[in-house]
Amino acid sequence: RVLFRSNFVYAGLAASHIGGENTSFFIKEEYNIHRRYTLNVGSDISMNDEHQTWFCPKLLGMMQGSQKEITGGFSVKNKVMFKSQYTNYQKELMFSLGAYYRFADAVIVLARFEYNNLSVGLSYDYTLSSLHKNANAGSAYEVTIAILNPLKRGEIRRNYNKMPKFF
């Protein structure tokens, strides 16, 4: 028997500041910024045959010069169906709760709603490192608003423009 159905796995790698731009404010001084490498890996794993609940582990790694950051964790996503009492119209809403750990720095808890092509999230970043102890600061609320890909999994649109849209 297959343990998980309709699984979705993704991975991405990015490099920033490829040319090592000069970031100095002075004409005769040169300070080249270090390249930044980012690795993002995650998955959406269906936990039941109805695809109502998803387990979503994620890992983010970044490196720039001598600075390194690794954040890992998971969220549980649940689908809620809204159905009209008088018609057969149905609409789905996805709700996620999760926890992440930024190694040697912070714990992050989050809640997120996805409706149509819009995602709205609220997270709290609680700093555990010496930054919190020494400066009595560092913890923060964060609000995320994202526009999601309009294509559903497995759906292909004939004339879909794959170019990004910038606002």
Side-chain angles (χ1 to χ4, degrees):
R1 175 177 170 162
V2 176
L3 257 170
F4 302 110
R5 297 172 193 241
S6 295
N7 296 339
F8 175 68
V9 178
Y10 63 87
L13 182 64
S16 304
H17 312 298
I18 300 292
E21 296 86 0
N22 183 9
T23 58
S24 175
F25 289 108
F26 302 103
I27 295 173
K28 295 183 179 184
E29 190 174 309
E30 187 169 316
Y31 178 77
N32 293 331
I33 194 165
H34 296 285
R35 283 187 194 93
R36 182 171 116 185
Y37 300 100
T38 305
L39 173 68
N40 192 1
V41 179
S43 178
D44 288 355
I45 302 168
S46 177
M47 296 175 65
N48 54 19
D49 290 337
E50 296 81 29
H51 309 302
Q52 291 292 114
T53 306
W54 300 80
F55 177 72
C56 308
K58 297 184 183 350
L59 179 69
L60 172 69
M62 292 187 282
M63 183 175 74
Q64 184 172 14
S66 63
Q67 304 297 316
K68 294 170 184 58
E69 178 181 313
I70 298 174
T71 304
F74 68 92
S75 61
V76 176
K77 189 180 338 183
N78 193 29
K79 185 190 318 182
V80 179
M81 294 295 291
F82 294 102
K83 185 175 180 181
S84 171
Q85 184 177 356
Y86 304 105
T87 66
N88 200 19
Y89 180 75
Q90 294 182 353
K91 200 65 176 170
E92 67 181 41
L93 167 83
M94 300 295 261
F95 176 71
S96 302
L97 289 174
Y100 295 86
Y101 178 68
R102 187 168 46 241
F103 289 95
D105 187 41
V107 173
I108 304 159
V109 293
L110 66 90
R112 186 170 86 172
F113 293 96
E114 295 176 18
Y115 183 71
N116 286 340
N117 296 337
L118 184 68
S119 172
V120 178
L122 176 67
S123 61
Y124 184 70
D125 187 324
Y126 181 75
T127 304
L128 301 171
S129 67
S130 61
L131 175 67
H132 178 68
K133 294 172 188 162
N134 294 336
N136 199 17
S139 299
Y141 288 99
E142 299 171 2
V143 175
T144 306
I145 300 173
I147 297 174
L148 306 173
N149 185 353
L151 293 179
K152 299 284 185 190
R153 290 187 188 105
E155 179 183 352
I156 298 173
R157 291 190 185 160
R158 193 169 254 167
N159 296 320
Y160 179 69
N161 183 0
K162 295 181 178 125
M163 296 301 292
K165 293 182 174 88
F166 299 100
F167 300 102

PDB file of all heavy atoms in Angstrom, residues 48-79:
ATOM      1  N   ASN A  48      -4.285  11.850   4.133  1.00  0.00           N
ATOM      2  CA  ASN A  48      -5.469  10.993   4.016  1.00  0.00           C
ATOM      3  C   ASN A  48      -5.900  10.912   2.555  1.00  0.00           C
ATOM      4  O   ASN A  48      -5.442  11.671   1.709  1.00  0.00           O
ATOM      5  CB  ASN A  48      -6.610  11.498   4.908  1.00  0.00           C
ATOM      6  CG  ASN A  48      -6.957  12.942   4.659  1.00  0.00           C
ATOM      7  OD1 ASN A  48      -6.637  13.502   3.625  1.00  0.00           O
ATOM      8  ND2 ASN A  48      -7.609  13.562   5.624  1.00  0.00           N
ATOM      9  N   ASP A  49      -6.774   9.962   2.263  1.00  0.00           N
ATOM     10  CA  ASP A  49      -7.203   9.733   0.878  1.00  0.00           C
ATOM     11  C   ASP A  49      -8.057  10.866   0.325  1.00  0.00           C
ATOM     12  O   ASP A  49      -8.143  11.043  -0.883  1.00  0.00           O
ATOM     13  CB  ASP A  49      -7.969   8.410   0.778  1.00  0.00           C
ATOM     14  CG  ASP A  49      -7.066   7.210   0.973  1.00  0.00           C
ATOM     15  OD1 ASP A  49      -5.845   7.355   0.744  1.00  0.00           O
ATOM     16  OD2 ASP A  49      -7.558   6.141   1.368  1.00  0.00           O
ATOM     17  N   GLU A  50      -8.715  11.621   1.178  1.00  0.00           N
ATOM     18  CA  GLU A  50      -9.563  12.730   0.733  1.00  0.00           C
ATOM     19  C   GLU A  50      -8.763  14.001   0.491  1.00  0.00           C
ATOM     20  O   GLU A  50      -9.320  15.012   0.075  1.00  0.00           O
ATOM     21  CB  GLU A  50     -10.667  13.014   1.763  1.00  0.00           C
ATOM     22  CG  GLU A  50     -11.643  11.875   1.956  1.00  0.00           C
ATOM     23  CD  GLU A  50     -11.095  10.806   2.900  1.00  0.00           C
ATOM     24  OE1 GLU A  50     -10.292  11.142   3.795  1.00  0.00           O
ATOM     25  OE2 GLU A  50     -11.454   9.644   2.732  1.00  0.00           O
ATOM     26  N   HIS A  51      -7.479  13.995   0.796  1.00  0.00           N
ATOM     27  CA  HIS A  51      -6.600  15.157   0.636  1.00  0.00           C
ATOM     28  C   HIS A  51      -7.130  16.360   1.416  1.00  0.00           C
ATOM     29  O   HIS A  51      -7.100  17.487   0.939  1.00  0.00           O
ATOM     30  CB  HIS A  51      -6.406  15.517  -0.833  1.00  0.00           C
ATOM     31  CG  HIS A  51      -5.998  14.358  -1.677  1.00  0.00           C
ATOM     32  ND1 HIS A  51      -4.861  13.617  -1.424  1.00  0.00           N
ATOM     33  CD2 HIS A  51      -6.584  13.778  -2.741  1.00  0.00           C
ATOM     34  CE1 HIS A  51      -4.770  12.648  -2.308  1.00  0.00           C
ATOM     35  NE2 HIS A  51      -5.797  12.719  -3.120  1.00  0.00           N
ATOM     36  N   GLN A  52      -7.591  16.116   2.620  1.00  0.00           N
ATOM     37  CA  GLN A  52      -8.092  17.175   3.482  1.00  0.00           C
ATOM     38  C   GLN A  52      -6.979  17.754   4.366  1.00  0.00           C
ATOM     39  O   GLN A  52      -7.013  18.912   4.719  1.00  0.00           O
ATOM     40  CB  GLN A  52      -9.210  16.640   4.393  1.00  0.00           C
ATOM     41  CG  GLN A  52     -10.483  16.293   3.665  1.00  0.00           C
ATOM     42  CD  GLN A  52     -11.169  17.511   3.125  1.00  0.00           C
ATOM     43  OE1 GLN A  52     -11.260  17.680   1.922  1.00  0.00           O
ATOM     44  NE2 GLN A  52     -11.641  18.373   3.993  1.00  0.00           N
ATOM     45  N   THR A  53      -6.018  16.915   4.732  1.00  0.00           N
ATOM     46  CA  THR A  53      -4.952  17.324   5.649  1.00  0.00           C
ATOM     47  C   THR A  53      -3.602  17.043   5.011  1.00  0.00           C
ATOM     48  O   THR A  53      -3.400  15.973   4.435  1.00  0.00           O
ATOM     49  CB  THR A  53      -5.079  16.574   6.982  1.00  0.00           C
ATOM     50  OG1 THR A  53      -6.391  16.775   7.499  1.00  0.00           O
ATOM     51  CG2 THR A  53      -4.072  17.082   7.994  1.00  0.00           C
ATOM     52  N   TRP A  54      -2.699  17.999   5.137  1.00  0.00           N
ATOM     53  CA  TRP A  54      -1.375  17.892   4.533  1.00  0.00           C
ATOM     54  C   TRP A  54      -0.317  18.153   5.587  1.00  0.00           C
ATOM     55  O   TRP A  54      -0.463  19.042   6.420  1.00  0.00           O
ATOM     56  CB  TRP A  54      -1.216  18.920   3.409  1.00  0.00           C
ATOM     57  CG  TRP A  54      -2.201  18.761   2.314  1.00  0.00           C
ATOM     58  CD1 TRP A  54      -3.492  19.183   2.300  1.00  0.00           C
ATOM     59  CD2 TRP A  54      -1.984  18.113   1.068  1.00  0.00           C
ATOM     60  NE1 TRP A  54      -4.082  18.856   1.118  1.00  0.00           N
ATOM     61  CE2 TRP A  54      -3.181  18.191   0.340  1.00  0.00           C
ATOM     62  CE3 TRP A  54      -0.883  17.492   0.494  1.00  0.00           C
ATOM     63  CZ2 TRP A  54      -3.311  17.668  -0.926  1.00  0.00           C
ATOM     64  CZ3 TRP A  54      -1.014  16.968  -0.773  1.00  0.00           C
ATOM     65  CH2 TRP A  54      -2.213  17.051  -1.473  1.00  0.00           C
ATOM     66  N   PHE A  55       0.766  17.392   5.535  1.00  0.00           N
ATOM     67  CA  PHE A  55       1.950  17.616   6.354  1.00  0.00           C
ATOM     68  C   PHE A  55       2.980  18.269   5.451  1.00  0.00           C
ATOM     69  O   PHE A  55       3.296  17.751   4.378  1.00  0.00           O
ATOM     70  CB  PHE A  55       2.465  16.279   6.910  1.00  0.00           C
ATOM     71  CG  PHE A  55       3.722  16.414   7.705  1.00  0.00           C
ATOM     72  CD1 PHE A  55       3.700  17.006   8.959  1.00  0.00           C
ATOM     73  CD2 PHE A  55       4.928  15.957   7.205  1.00  0.00           C
ATOM     74  CE1 PHE A  55       4.859  17.122   9.703  1.00  0.00           C
ATOM     75  CE2 PHE A  55       6.090  16.070   7.935  1.00  0.00           C
ATOM     76  CZ  PHE A  55       6.056  16.651   9.189  1.00  0.00           C
ATOM     77  N   CYS A  56       3.513  19.421   5.858  1.00  0.00           N
ATOM     78  CA  CYS A  56       4.372  20.224   4.988  1.00  0.00           C
ATOM     79  C   CYS A  56       5.716  20.525   5.661  1.00  0.00           C
ATOM     80  O   CYS A  56       5.874  21.581   6.285  1.00  0.00           O
ATOM     81  CB  CYS A  56       3.675  21.531   4.633  1.00  0.00           C
ATOM     82  SG  CYS A  56       2.027  21.338   3.965  1.00  0.00           S
ATOM     83  N   PRO A  57       6.708  19.627   5.536  1.00  0.00           N
ATOM     84  CA  PRO A  57       8.040  19.938   6.075  1.00  0.00           C
ATOM     85  C   PRO A  57       8.782  20.884   5.132  1.00  0.00           C
ATOM     86  O   PRO A  57       8.612  20.828   3.913  1.00  0.00           O
ATOM     87  CB  PRO A  57       8.721  18.568   6.128  1.00  0.00           C
ATOM     88  CG  PRO A  57       8.045  17.771   5.074  1.00  0.00           C
ATOM     89  CD  PRO A  57       6.634  18.280   4.986  1.00  0.00           C
ATOM     90  N   LYS A  58       9.605  21.752   5.718  1.00  0.00           N
ATOM     91  CA  LYS A  58      10.359  22.723   4.910  1.00  0.00           C
ATOM     92  C   LYS A  58      11.740  22.944   5.528  1.00  0.00           C
ATOM     93  O   LYS A  58      11.915  22.846   6.736  1.00  0.00           O
ATOM     94  CB  LYS A  58       9.617  24.053   4.845  1.00  0.00           C
ATOM     95  CG  LYS A  58       8.269  23.934   4.155  1.00  0.00           C
ATOM     96  CD  LYS A  58       7.601  25.259   4.019  1.00  0.00           C
ATOM     97  CE  LYS A  58       6.235  25.229   3.417  1.00  0.00           C
ATOM     98  NZ  LYS A  58       5.709  24.086   2.829  1.00  0.00           N
ATOM     99  N   LEU A  59      12.714  23.248   4.663  1.00  0.00           N
ATOM    100  CA  LEU A  59      14.074  23.543   5.091  1.00  0.00           C
ATOM    101  C   LEU A  59      14.607  24.684   4.233  1.00  0.00           C
ATOM    102  O   LEU A  59      14.470  24.668   3.014  1.00  0.00           O
ATOM    103  CB  LEU A  59      14.969  22.308   4.934  1.00  0.00           C
ATOM    104  CG  LEU A  59      16.426  22.481   5.335  1.00  0.00           C
ATOM    105  CD1 LEU A  59      16.539  22.650   6.842  1.00  0.00           C
ATOM    106  CD2 LEU A  59      17.233  21.288   4.878  1.00  0.00           C
ATOM    107  N   LEU A  60      15.189  25.686   4.893  1.00  0.00           N
ATOM    108  CA  LEU A  60      15.768  26.834   4.207  1.00  0.00           C
ATOM    109  C   LEU A  60      17.196  27.002   4.707  1.00  0.00           C
ATOM    110  O   LEU A  60      17.427  27.069   5.912  1.00  0.00           O
ATOM    111  CB  LEU A  60      14.964  28.102   4.508  1.00  0.00           C
ATOM    112  CG  LEU A  60      15.549  29.421   4.005  1.00  0.00           C
ATOM    113  CD1 LEU A  60      15.498  29.482   2.490  1.00  0.00           C
ATOM    114  CD2 LEU A  60      14.812  30.596   4.612  1.00  0.00           C
ATOM    115  N   GLY A  61      18.140  27.055   3.784  1.00  0.00           N
ATOM    116  CA  GLY A  61      19.534  27.283   4.137  1.00  0.00           C
ATOM    117  C   GLY A  61      20.079  28.456   3.353  1.00  0.00           C
ATOM    118  O   GLY A  61      19.837  28.571   2.151  1.00  0.00           O
ATOM    119  N   MET A  62      20.777  29.365   4.040  1.00  0.00           N
ATOM    120  CA  MET A  62      21.374  30.519   3.380  1.00  0.00           C
ATOM    121  C   MET A  62      22.817  30.685   3.856  1.00  0.00           C
ATOM    122  O   MET A  62      23.115  30.424   5.024  1.00  0.00           O
ATOM    123  CB  MET A  62      20.590  31.793   3.688  1.00  0.00           C
ATOM    124  CG  MET A  62      19.221  31.811   3.067  1.00  0.00           C
ATOM    125  SD  MET A  62      18.368  33.383   3.252  1.00  0.00           S
ATOM    126  CE  MET A  62      17.826  33.279   4.928  1.00  0.00           C
ATOM    127  N   MET A  63      23.673  31.105   2.929  1.00  0.00           N
ATOM    128  CA  MET A  63      25.074  31.312   3.256  1.00  0.00           C
ATOM    129  C   MET A  63      25.563  32.544   2.492  1.00  0.00           C
ATOM    130  O   MET A  63      25.362  32.661   1.290  1.00  0.00           O
ATOM    131  CB  MET A  63      25.889  30.087   2.854  1.00  0.00           C
ATOM    132  CG  MET A  63      27.346  30.184   3.215  1.00  0.00           C
ATOM    133  SD  MET A  63      28.244  28.665   2.853  1.00  0.00           S
ATOM    134  CE  MET A  63      28.338  28.764   1.074  1.00  0.00           C
ATOM    135  N   GLN A  64      26.191  33.468   3.226  1.00  0.00           N
ATOM    136  CA  GLN A  64      26.773  34.662   2.614  1.00  0.00           C
ATOM    137  C   GLN A  64      28.044  34.997   3.385  1.00  0.00           C
ATOM    138  O   GLN A  64      27.990  35.385   4.552  1.00  0.00           O
ATOM    139  CB  GLN A  64      25.806  35.840   2.647  1.00  0.00           C
ATOM    140  CG  GLN A  64      26.339  37.058   1.930  1.00  0.00           C
ATOM    141  CD  GLN A  64      25.290  38.152   1.804  1.00  0.00           C
ATOM    142  OE1 GLN A  64      24.262  38.125   2.458  1.00  0.00           O
ATOM    143  NE2 GLN A  64      25.565  39.121   0.960  1.00  0.00           N
ATOM    144  N   GLY A  65      29.187  34.832   2.725  1.00  0.00           N
ATOM    145  CA  GLY A  65      30.463  35.030   3.396  1.00  0.00           C
ATOM    146  C   GLY A  65      30.607  34.039   4.542  1.00  0.00           C
ATOM    147  O   GLY A  65      30.421  32.843   4.372  1.00  0.00           O
ATOM    148  N   SER A  66      30.899  34.530   5.738  1.00  0.00           N
ATOM    149  CA  SER A  66      31.028  33.638   6.891  1.00  0.00           C
ATOM    150  C   SER A  66      29.698  33.425   7.612  1.00  0.00           C
ATOM    151  O   SER A  66      29.619  32.643   8.555  1.00  0.00           O
ATOM    152  CB  SER A  66      32.054  34.220   7.873  1.00  0.00           C
ATOM    153  OG  SER A  66      31.590  35.471   8.360  1.00  0.00           O
ATOM    154  N   GLN A  67      28.634  34.104   7.172  1.00  0.00           N
ATOM    155  CA  GLN A  67      27.327  33.987   7.816  1.00  0.00           C
ATOM    156  C   GLN A  67      26.548  32.811   7.236  1.00  0.00           C
ATOM    157  O   GLN A  67      26.480  32.643   6.024  1.00  0.00           O
ATOM    158  CB  GLN A  67      26.518  35.278   7.626  1.00  0.00           C
ATOM    159  CG  GLN A  67      27.209  36.512   8.114  1.00  0.00           C
ATOM    160  CD  GLN A  67      27.462  36.469   9.611  1.00  0.00           C
ATOM    161  OE1 GLN A  67      26.597  36.086  10.377  1.00  0.00           O
ATOM    162  NE2 GLN A  67      28.659  36.850  10.003  1.00  0.00           N
ATOM    163  N   LYS A  68      25.960  32.014   8.132  1.00  0.00           N
ATOM    164  CA  LYS A  68      25.150  30.873   7.711  1.00  0.00           C
ATOM    165  C   LYS A  68      23.851  30.871   8.511  1.00  0.00           C
ATOM    166  O   LYS A  68      23.844  31.220   9.684  1.00  0.00           O
ATOM    167  CB  LYS A  68      25.906  29.574   7.939  1.00  0.00           C
ATOM    168  CG  LYS A  68      27.126  29.442   7.066  1.00  0.00           C
ATOM    169  CD  LYS A  68      27.961  28.256   7.494  1.00  0.00           C
ATOM    170  CE  LYS A  68      29.231  28.151   6.711  1.00  0.00           C
ATOM    171  NZ  LYS A  68      30.116  29.298   6.774  1.00  0.00           N
ATOM    172  N   GLU A  69      22.772  30.469   7.857  1.00  0.00           N
ATOM    173  CA  GLU A  69      21.482  30.372   8.532  1.00  0.00           C
ATOM    174  C   GLU A  69      20.747  29.149   8.017  1.00  0.00           C
ATOM    175  O   GLU A  69      20.630  28.950   6.813  1.00  0.00           O
ATOM    176  CB  GLU A  69      20.652  31.629   8.261  1.00  0.00           C
ATOM    177  CG  GLU A  69      19.278  31.588   8.893  1.00  0.00           C
ATOM    178  CD  GLU A  69      18.475  32.835   8.596  1.00  0.00           C
ATOM    179  OE1 GLU A  69      19.014  33.934   8.732  1.00  0.00           O
ATOM    180  OE2 GLU A  69      17.310  32.677   8.200  1.00  0.00           O
ATOM    181  N   ILE A  70      20.250  28.333   8.939  1.00  0.00           N
ATOM    182  CA  ILE A  70      19.463  27.155   8.575  1.00  0.00           C
ATOM    183  C   ILE A  70      18.176  27.200   9.380  1.00  0.00           C
ATOM    184  O   ILE A  70      18.204  27.318  10.605  1.00  0.00           O
ATOM    185  CB  ILE A  70      20.225  25.846   8.853  1.00  0.00           C
ATOM    186  CG1 ILE A  70      21.502  25.793   8.020  1.00  0.00           C
ATOM    187  CG2 ILE A  70      19.333  24.639   8.562  1.00  0.00           C
ATOM    188  CD1 ILE A  70      22.394  24.622   8.335  1.00  0.00           C
ATOM    189  N   THR A  71      17.054  27.126   8.680  1.00  0.00           N
ATOM    190  CA  THR A  71      15.740  27.119   9.316  1.00  0.00           C
ATOM    191  C   THR A  71      14.994  25.887   8.838  1.00  0.00           C
ATOM    192  O   THR A  71      14.918  25.628   7.636  1.00  0.00           O
ATOM    193  CB  THR A  71      14.939  28.384   8.946  1.00  0.00           C
ATOM    194  OG1 THR A  71      15.703  29.535   9.310  1.00  0.00           O
ATOM    195  CG2 THR A  71      13.606  28.409   9.655  1.00  0.00           C
ATOM    196  N   GLY A  72      14.452  25.121   9.776  1.00  0.00           N
ATOM    197  CA  GLY A  72      13.705  23.921   9.424  1.00  0.00           C
ATOM    198  C   GLY A  72      12.481  23.779  10.296  1.00  0.00           C
ATOM    199  O   GLY A  72      12.447  24.273  11.429  1.00  0.00           O
ATOM    200  N   GLY A  73      11.482  23.105   9.767  1.00  0.00           N
ATOM    201  CA  GLY A  73      10.274  22.890  10.552  1.00  0.00           C
ATOM    202  C   GLY A  73       9.167  22.328   9.687  1.00  0.00           C
ATOM    203  O   GLY A  73       9.402  21.791   8.603  1.00  0.00           O
ATOM    204  N   PHE A  74       7.950  22.457  10.168  1.00  0.00           N
ATOM    205  CA  PHE A  74       6.811  21.899   9.441  1.00  0.00           C
ATOM    206  C   PHE A  74       5.551  22.685   9.767  1.00  0.00           C
ATOM    207  O   PHE A  74       5.475  23.405  10.756  1.00  0.00           O
ATOM    208  CB  PHE A  74       6.610  20.426   9.809  1.00  0.00           C
ATOM    209  CG  PHE A  74       6.148  20.233  11.227  1.00  0.00           C
ATOM    210  CD1 PHE A  74       4.793  20.159  11.516  1.00  0.00           C
ATOM    211  CD2 PHE A  74       7.055  20.147  12.265  1.00  0.00           C
ATOM    212  CE1 PHE A  74       4.357  20.003  12.820  1.00  0.00           C
ATOM    213  CE2 PHE A  74       6.636  19.983  13.563  1.00  0.00           C
ATOM    214  CZ  PHE A  74       5.276  19.912  13.846  1.00  0.00           C
ATOM    215  N   SER A  75       4.578  22.513   8.917  1.00  0.00           N
ATOM    216  CA  SER A  75       3.233  23.005   9.196  1.00  0.00           C
ATOM    217  C   SER A  75       2.244  21.915   8.809  1.00  0.00           C
ATOM    218  O   SER A  75       2.555  21.030   8.017  1.00  0.00           O
ATOM    219  CB  SER A  75       2.938  24.307   8.429  1.00  0.00           C
ATOM    220  OG  SER A  75       3.013  24.097   7.047  1.00  0.00           O
ATOM    221  N   VAL A  76       1.077  21.985   9.393  1.00  0.00           N
ATOM    222  CA  VAL A  76      -0.014  21.081   9.053  1.00  0.00           C
ATOM    223  C   VAL A  76      -1.093  21.933   8.414  1.00  0.00           C
ATOM    224  O   VAL A  76      -1.551  22.917   8.995  1.00  0.00           O
ATOM    225  CB  VAL A  76      -0.549  20.337  10.294  1.00  0.00           C
ATOM    226  CG1 VAL A  76      -1.750  19.478   9.934  1.00  0.00           C
ATOM    227  CG2 VAL A  76       0.545  19.489  10.924  1.00  0.00           C
ATOM    228  N   LYS A  77      -1.453  21.561   7.177  1.00  0.00           N
ATOM    229  CA  LYS A  77      -2.423  22.324   6.401  1.00  0.00           C
ATOM    230  C   LYS A  77      -3.726  21.526   6.329  1.00  0.00           C
ATOM    231  O   LYS A  77      -3.709  20.327   6.064  1.00  0.00           O
ATOM    232  CB  LYS A  77      -1.868  22.557   4.995  1.00  0.00           C
ATOM    233  CG  LYS A  77      -2.683  23.495   4.178  1.00  0.00           C
ATOM    234  CD  LYS A  77      -2.193  23.765   2.759  1.00  0.00           C
ATOM    235  CE  LYS A  77      -0.779  23.523   2.429  1.00  0.00           C
ATOM    236  NZ  LYS A  77      -0.461  23.890   1.037  1.00  0.00           N
ATOM    237  N   ASN A  78      -4.843  22.198   6.561  1.00  0.00           N
ATOM    238  CA  ASN A  78      -6.137  21.540   6.535  1.00  0.00           C
ATOM    239  C   ASN A  78      -7.062  22.268   5.568  1.00  0.00           C
ATOM    240  O   ASN A  78      -7.108  23.497   5.561  1.00  0.00           O
ATOM    241  CB  ASN A  78      -6.744  21.514   7.942  1.00  0.00           C
ATOM    242  CG  ASN A  78      -7.918  20.582   8.044  1.00  0.00           C
ATOM    243  OD1 ASN A  78      -7.997  19.596   7.329  1.00  0.00           O
ATOM    244  ND2 ASN A  78      -8.834  20.887   8.929  1.00  0.00           N
ATOM    245  N   LYS A  79      -7.774  21.510   4.756  1.00  0.00           N
ATOM    246  CA  LYS A  79      -8.711  22.083   3.783  1.00  0.00           C
ATOM    247  C   LYS A  79     -10.107  22.134   4.396  1.00  0.00           C
ATOM    248  O   LYS A  79     -10.594  21.148   4.939  1.00  0.00           O
ATOM    249  CB  LYS A  79      -8.750  21.234   2.526  1.00  0.00           C
ATOM    250  CG  LYS A  79      -9.618  21.828   1.432  1.00  0.00           C
ATOM    251  CD  LYS A  79      -9.890  20.925   0.250  1.00  0.00           C
ATOM    252  CE  LYS A  79      -8.729  20.142  -0.236  1.00  0.00           C
ATOM    253  NZ  LYS A  79      -9.042  19.330  -1.419  1.00  0.00           N
TER     254      LYS A  79
END
